[in-house]
Amino acid sequence: MFLPQLHLCCFRNYLEQKVTFDAYKTIILGDNAQGKTNLLEAVELISTLKTRRAKKDQDLILEGKQESRIQANLQRSYGLTEIAMTLRSSGKRSVSLNHENLRRHLDLLGVINTVQFSSLDLELVRGAPEVRRAWLDALLVQLEPIYAYIIQQYQKILRQRNALLKRLYKQNSSPIADNLTELGIWDAQLAAFGSRIMRRRARVLTRLTPLAQNWHRQISGNNELLEINYNPNVCYYSQDEPQQVQEAFLVAINERTLFEQQLGTTVVGPHRDEIELLINQTPAKSYGSQGQQRTLVLALKLAELDLIEQIIGEPPILLLDDVLAELDLHRQNQLLEAISNRCQTLITTTHLNAFAQNWLKASQILSVKSGSVMI
């Protein structure tokens, strides 16, 4: 897939900007706080419907304006697609595909696939379990857009169940029969959607892990062994049997029901899963050096690229936000060699020193200053 044109109106620090991409590799050059990352963020938003840097749409709208608009043309193997998104300070956004408004915004997921890599991704190793869960879920949404609906429903059910558990906790007495009946209903729904999440997480890690291990061996010079383990909060046999996983989920809920009522919150389910990352059988989070952690994250991102290409049938767009500064020369070369011309790459940087001459010759170079893009 290839993004030939991006049009921003009142997005972040861009008042009105059309950007034409005419090469598979585009280097976006500029000092800090000029708007380089904002270009990548616009692509991220129309790909995933959210960004990692903004909590609400208002944060993405140019100061003093009431709405913002992103428009993009996308060339895929099946033809040209136009995507448009309007963000409003009121909080109501609209999305269109080929000039038709989408009632369900989730229908935009999967139209444009991206892999993002920035300094924030080091939190995959260093951060809390929810960071790794969010990373894995974001990858699954790219591969199976229906997964966004599954996660959305699970979170909705979890909130309702937690609200009931909180009421039971405040009652400070034996729950009445109606409350137990309602709890049983939420239990069944939580198990139904939760088991779908667990099975998908296990499946995608089974496919991703050997790809990441292969990249990790190449980057580390065969000196380190990477392991990625899925540790679900609900224990079940390894077979991918929907009924068996769901039953195991319900058993786990029943075993912890009294504890949950005393605590006032749900402690069973995939919202408490962990994805364990090990280097030479040692937790990377606790003992990995900065170099080892960067190698691990780089291997994960390159594995994402491989997996999406395998499943979707064409490579995603790669968004690299000032990552070369985070990598030593060896890892920089590994990354740039791995990219080659296999996919469209948008890479931000404050200087061109890290790029070899052949890379510079093959790349489009855009300069960004104060919310304006210049060739």
Side-chain angles (χ1 to χ4, degrees), residues 115-374:
V115 171
Q116 305 154 52
F117 186 13
S118 77
S119 58
L120 296 175
D121 287 304
L122 288 174
E123 285 299 298
L124 282 176
V125 181
R126 302 169 182 170
E130 55 260 34
V131 177
R132 288 177 286 281
R133 289 195 298 267
W135 158 72
L136 191 61
D137 289 341
L139 174 59
L140 273 162
V141 168
Q142 298 261 12
L143 302 173
E144 296 182 71
I146 187 63
Y147 186 75
Y149 170 77
I150 295 170
I151 282 284
Q152 189 181 73
Q153 291 299 112
Y154 179 82
Q155 294 294 343
K156 181 179 177 181
I157 294 163
L158 183 63
R159 286 193 297 270
Q160 297 280 5
R161 189 175 188 273
N162 281 340
L164 176 57
L165 287 172
K166 193 169 290 186
R167 290 204 307 271
L168 295 175
Y169 172 77
K170 288 180 178 178
Q171 285 177 6
N172 199 25
S173 60
S174 298
I176 59 176
D178 285 350
N179 283 336
L180 290 178
T181 300
E182 184 183 351
L183 188 62
I185 294 171
W186 293 126
D187 290 352
Q189 293 187 43
L190 198 75
F193 282 94
S195 60
R196 294 171 74 182
I197 292 171
M198 291 157 51
R199 289 169 50 234
R200 281 169 169 81
R201 285 177 176 174
R203 283 202 303 262
V204 77
L205 281 177
T206 298
R207 298 192 65 169
L208 183 77
T209 297
L211 298 173
Q213 288 173 329
N214 179 56
W215 280 114
H216 194 268
R217 280 193 298 270
Q218 291 185 46
I219 301 168
S220 67
N222 288 311
N223 292 324
E224 297 170 352
L225 174 64
L226 170 64
E227 294 178 65
I228 305 174
N229 298 322
Y230 176 46
N231 296 333
N233 173 258
V234 175
C235 295
Y236 63 96
Y237 296 111
S238 59
Q239 291 90 345
D240 187 17
E241 293 292 336
Q243 191 61 36
Q244 185 255 318
V245 178
Q246 197 166 329
E247 287 174 359
F249 200 121
L250 286 169
V251 168
I253 288 178
N254 290 332
E255 288 176 349
R256 307 300 296 276
T257 294
L258 183 59
F259 177 69
E260 288 185 331
Q261 290 177 19
Q262 293 171 343
L263 200 62
T265 192
T266 303
V267 300
V268 174
H271 61 289
R272 290 183 171 238
D273 285 352
E274 170 64 293
I275 294 91
E276 186 180 42
L277 303 172
L278 304 174
I279 299 175
N280 294 336
Q281 300 183 319
T282 302
K285 178 179 181 178
S286 303
Y287 300 105
S289 68
Q290 285 195 359
Q292 287 174 317
Q293 291 177 353
R294 289 188 172 96
T295 295
L296 196 163
V297 174
L298 179 54
L300 291 177
K301 290 298 169 178
L302 291 172
E304 278 187 62
L305 187 67
D306 287 343
L307 186 59
I308 292 174
E309 185 173 5
Q310 284 180 13
I311 294 176
I312 302 300
E314 53 186 317
I317 296 170
L318 186 58
L319 308 175
L320 302 176
D321 190 15
D322 207 19
V323 294
L324 294 184
E326 295 285 333
L327 304 173
D328 60 29
L329 186 60
H330 171 67
R331 293 179 180 86
Q332 288 177 14
N333 290 334
Q334 287 282 345
L335 175 58
L336 296 178
E337 286 175 14
I339 296 167
S340 186
N341 287 317
R342 66 180 295 189
C343 63
Q344 183 179 13
T345 302
L346 309 181
I347 178 168
T348 67
T349 186
T350 55
H351 54 79
L352 300 176
N353 299 344
F355 299 93
Q357 279 301 119
N358 62 327
W359 237 84
L360 293 175
K361 288 179 181 178
S363 301
Q364 174 189 22
I365 300 176
L366 302 176
S367 297
V368 177
K369 186 173 182 180
S370 301
S372 293
V373 178
M374 297 159 284

Side-chain angles (χ1 to χ4, degrees), residues 11-26:
F11 182 82
R12 287 290 195 182
N13 67 331
Y14 289 95
L15 178 61
E16 182 83 24
Q17 183 68 61
K18 285 187 179 180
V19 185
T20 298
F21 302 106
D22 56 19
Y24 263 84
K25 293 181 285 195
T26 299

Side-chain angles (χ1 to χ4, degrees), residues 71-88:
Q71 186 175 339
N73 294 328
L74 178 69
Q75 183 67 54
R76 293 200 60 162
S77 57
Y78 51 74
L80 188 66
T81 300
E82 184 177 296
I83 302 164
M85 178 181 291
T86 300
L87 311 174
R88 298 179 178 85

